[in-house]
Amino acid sequence: MSTWPASAQTRRRVADYWLAWRNFRPEMSLESLVLLTSLFFSVFSNISFWQRALPEPLVQWKLAVSLFLVVTALHAFLLGLVANRWIAKPLLSLLLLVTSIAAYYMHAYGIYLNADMMRNVLQTDVRESSELLSAALMLPVLAATLPIVLLWRVRIRRRMLTRAFGIRIAFLCGLLLLGSAGALLSFQDISALMRNQREVRYLVTPANYLVSLSQVLLADPPGVKPPRLPIGTDARLLPVKPGEKPRLLVVVVGETARAQNWGLNGYRRDTTPKLAQADVINFSDVTSCGSSTEVSLPCMFSPYGRRHYDRGEIERHQSVLHVLQRAGIPVLWRDNQSGCKGVCEGLAFDRLADAKNPALCNDQRCLDEILIQDLEARVPPGGSDRIVVLHQLGNHGPSYFERYPARFRKFTPTCETPELGKCSREQIVNTYDNALLYTDHFLATTIGRLKGLRGYDTAMIYVSDHGESLGENGLYLHGLPYAIAPREQTRVPMVMWFSPDFARDNRLDTACLRQRAAKPVSHDHLFSSLLGLMRVETSIYDRSWDLFAECRGGAG
């Protein structure tokens, strides 16, 4: 029997469906379109919010209804303020796409889109962002395609200007009433949620990234930034004794190393075997200034710290590195990351992430040993004291497997993809620990180079900028608001090494310092500790925040 009639029938059906689609041009008011889009956001784009705000949705049904009304009214109100017939479709299409992608990353990594996270996004370079672009990103893009296609089939009803204005005012007032009714329906529960889990508001999508982005742009508008204001203008270098060699201090700023996986802190694995043999002083209880590089790096080199944290003041003023240089100590920043975030503005800077070294670099990244590849040439013997800052790539995620050479693949199985959702937690931790093994090797190698450096008394301080979540409580990476960031993101390793001559000439009692290392410290100590260690006198030095003060012989 011939199959041609059935084929013809199929073709006719396809033609009918296509004709029906071409004729599908529903007309609706702009306000209805805004409300439907807001309902879509509430239902499909806020999974992370609902999971965090409503751990028992059936029991908390009244709160669920209240929050649904409030969230829907909020988005509809915000859209109703800006949408008009000419920009509605492009605007809503963009929001549908971006919101779908944002919801994906929030759910996949447990991140919150507050102002600090938006700064991280805006400051991310091409290398970092490319590691987060994977095939899995096609899922949210495809999820946004259907509503966008349907959106463009809608015809927006035309109205006279005066009538449209009146309807829009009534629409906005109705949304205020709807949101208020939702809030009053379960006022006590919503109040308790906002009081006990204030950060949950950063999960309400797309309001979270829209409001946070507005805050960032208002606080730091695009354009040429004014020069940073000087600090420590009275800084001067104290005289040295005759016969003392100049000092070279290497400050290694680690990346995303967390204290919980640091072998010297008693971790179940020996992730620091070489440092254990290098006679370093390990600080076992160190708190970071932030949970992201964008916050921690400027903060740790500022006089404000976490105890007087003011992002605006930190970004408007110079860092301790400028004070040291002003006192006559040349400073060199060598970077294998995404820059110094303004900390080294105007100082000598070596960008090594783009270096061409086939032994240490590929087309995307360089291993951290590139930072010390030509260290001796950059610090010629003789002259004055010097400070060199080495900014590591370290354990920057999610591509932990690309942070170390193959010979450091000790803990297996590993996660060989930036899509952490495809790996077990064991694989992720193994890969992360291998990257720490490489940091251990890098630091030990740096110490070895400093030992062989002639003409200087040498020392090294290593401290990570922040920690990392590796799946605990469904969280990955870093950058949670500091108030709720887990210890994994705010407890960091710190070690110090001093050559015998450096310790002697600086009157450092290393036994005393080892005892001090067992007590809690933080990034806040770095500012005055660097000034004290390099014997710089200035009115902004605070002896109570100098880690070395109580272990330094003679006057502090």
Side-chain angles (χ1 to χ4, degrees):
M1 182 180 296
S2 173
T3 59
W4 175 251
S7 298
Q9 185 179 22
T10 300
R11 288 199 299 274
R12 284 195 298 272
R13 286 180 178 175
V14 171
D16 290 342
Y17 288 145
W18 173 245
L19 184 61
W21 171 250
R22 288 188 61 187
N23 293 331
F24 176 73
R25 294 299 306 274
E27 182 183 66
M28 65 176 60
S29 67
L30 180 57
E31 289 74 22
S32 298
L33 189 60
V34 164
L35 187 58
L36 282 174
T37 304
S38 302
L39 286 168
F40 180 88
F41 289 147
S42 296
V43 174
F44 297 105
S45 304
N46 280 274
I47 296 175
S48 295
F49 172 72
W50 298 124
Q51 288 178 336
R52 183 65 185 267
L54 300 168
E56 298 179 288
L58 295 180
V59 177
Q60 299 171 287
W61 66 269
K62 190 175 180 181
L63 176 60
V65 173
S66 297
L67 290 175
F68 186 85
L69 293 176
V70 170
V71 169
T72 303
L74 169 66
H75 288 132
F77 184 83
L78 292 175
L79 291 173
L81 289 175
V82 298
N84 58 53
R85 188 165 57 85
W86 296 275
I87 69 167
K89 289 184 179 181
L91 174 64
L92 295 179
S93 298
L94 179 63
L95 285 177
L96 285 165
L97 178 60
V98 175
T99 300
S100 184
I101 294 172
Y104 163 75
Y105 282 118
M106 290 166 61
H107 183 68
Y109 297 110
I111 62 174
Y112 289 62
L113 293 181
N114 63 345
D116 286 337
M117 182 57 72
M118 291 309 300
R119 288 190 187 92
N120 291 335
V121 172
L122 295 175
Q123 292 291 330
T124 297
D125 62 20
V126 175
R127 291 182 182 86
E128 290 184 15
S129 59
S130 64
E131 292 179 356
L132 292 170
L133 301 178
S134 62
L137 195 59
M138 291 302 298
L139 294 176
V141 172
L142 291 174
T145 300
L146 178 60
I148 290 174
V149 170
L150 292 175
L151 168 67
W152 284 90
R153 301 301 296 172
V154 171
R155 291 178 297 160
I156 299 175
R157 187 173 299 137
R158 294 172 178 265
R159 295 193 182 104
M160 296 292 292
L161 183 61
T162 53
R163 176 175 170 77
F165 181 77
I167 291 176
R168 182 62 58 88
I169 294 298
F171 177 67
L172 294 175
C173 291
L175 292 172
L176 289 176
L177 291 174
L178 179 65
S180 299
L184 291 174
L185 179 63
S186 189
F187 181 77
Q188 289 186 340
D189 290 338
I190 291 180
S191 297
L193 178 66
M194 291 297 104
R195 183 173 59 252
N196 299 324
Q197 301 183 61
R198 292 185 62 199
E199 290 74 17
V200 77
R201 66 188 187 276
Y202 297 123
L203 296 175
V204 179
T205 316
N208 53 0
Y209 70 79
L210 293 175
V211 173
S212 296
L213 182 61
S214 300
Q215 292 174 339
V216 170
L217 294 178
L218 287 173
D220 189 17
V224 179
K225 305 295 188 296
R228 292 180 177 244
L229 301 174
I231 58 174
T233 54
D234 59 344
R236 70 182 187 92
L237 188 62
L238 295 177
V240 299
K241 294 179 181 179
E244 287 186 1
K245 290 185 293 186
R247 292 161 299 166
L248 171 63
L249 173 63
V250 172
V251 179
V252 182
V253 179
E255 170 64 36
T256 322
R258 67 184 206 171
Q260 291 81 358
N261 292 49
W262 194 245
L264 293 176
N265 287 343
Y267 181 48
R268 60 184 177 85
R269 286 174 169 169
D270 189 5
T271 54
T272 53
K274 294 185 178 180
L275 287 176
Q277 304 297 319
D279 194 33
V280 298
I281 299 172
N282 181 65
F283 287 74
S284 57
D285 188 1
V286 184
T287 304
S288 67
C289 189
S291 60
S292 66
T293 304
E294 186 66 25
V295 173
S296 276
L297 196 57
C299 179
M300 66 198 292
F301 285 96
S302 81
Y304 300 96
R306 172 53 59 177
R307 67 193 187 281
H308 303 304
Y309 186 76
D310 186 321
R311 187 194 62 82
E313 288 299 301
I314 290 173
E315 292 187 353
R316 278 191 290 271
H317 289 84
Q318 293 178 342
S319 73
V320 67
L321 301 180
H322 296 90
V323 180
L324 292 162
Q325 176 123 334
R326 185 172 295 114
I329 303 175
V331 177
L332 169 64
W333 185 287
R334 314 199 83 199
D335 202 274
N336 193 31
Q337 251 278 7
S338 57
C340 67
K341 313 301 181 185
V343 172
C344 64
E345 182 179 287
L347 303 177
F349 183 88
D350 289 346
R351 178 168 181 80
L352 298 170
D354 299 322
K356 305 299 181 182
N357 185 318
L360 296 173
C361 307
N362 56 26
D363 293 336
Q364 298 296 322
R365 294 283 195 181
C366 290
L367 296 172
D368 280 326
E369 285 175 277
I370 196 69
L371 292 168
I372 56 173
Q373 185 68 12
D374 58 347
L375 184 61
E376 293 83 358
R378 298 295 282 132
V379 286
S384 63
D385 296 346
R386 293 176 179 271
I387 288 184
V388 177
V389 182
L390 307 179
H391 188 197
Q392 280 187 275
L393 178 58
N395 279 55
H396 195 286
S399 298
Y400 307 120
F401 66 100
E402 293 184 336
R403 307 299 180 243
Y404 55 89
R407 68 181 186 276
F408 287 89
R409 191 174 179 268
K410 176 180 178 181
F411 307 113
T412 57
T414 55
C415 180
E416 300 294 318
T417 173
E419 297 179 49
L420 300 182
K422 293 184 176 181
C423 300
S424 67
R425 185 161 185 272
E426 177 192 11
Q427 291 173 311
I428 295 170
V429 173
N430 286 342
T431 315
Y432 182 89
D433 287 348
N434 288 335
L436 279 185
L437 272 177
Y438 180 62
T439 287
D440 168 74
H441 165 78
F442 166 71
L443 294 176
T445 303
T446 302
I447 292 172
R449 300 282 283 272
L450 292 177
K451 286 180 178 179
L453 200 61
R454 304 302 177 189
Y456 287 98
D457 292 343
T458 54
M460 185 196 76
I461 296 176
Y462 163 80
V463 62
S464 182
D465 59 351
H466 56 79
E468 185 90 326
S469 288
L470 299 176
E472 300 86 0
N473 300 313
L475 300 177
Y476 295 90
L477 304 182
H478 53 267
L480 258 67
Y482 197 82
I484 63 167
R487 290 174 58 89
E488 290 80 10
Q489 295 189 24
T490 60
R491 296 300 187 272
V492 295
M494 182 167 76
V495 298
M496 299 180 183
W497 172 85
F498 305 98
S499 69
D501 289 345
F502 190 102
R504 183 197 64 232
D505 291 346
N506 284 273
R507 307 184 310 281
L508 282 180
D509 183 344
T510 54
C512 167
L513 195 56
R514 290 183 191 279
Q515 293 179 344
R516 179 66 183 86
K519 301 176 183 178
V521 301
S522 73
H523 277 169
D524 287 18
H525 287 91
L526 188 63
F527 186 91
S528 287
S529 296
L530 290 178
L531 293 174
L533 187 63
M534 299 305 291
R535 296 187 294 208
V536 172
E537 188 178 76
T538 172
S539 58
I540 59 174
Y541 166 79
D542 187 342
R543 189 179 191 277
S544 64
W545 287 92
D546 181 354
L547 287 171
F548 308 105
E550 63 186 65
C551 298
R552 187 183 297 119

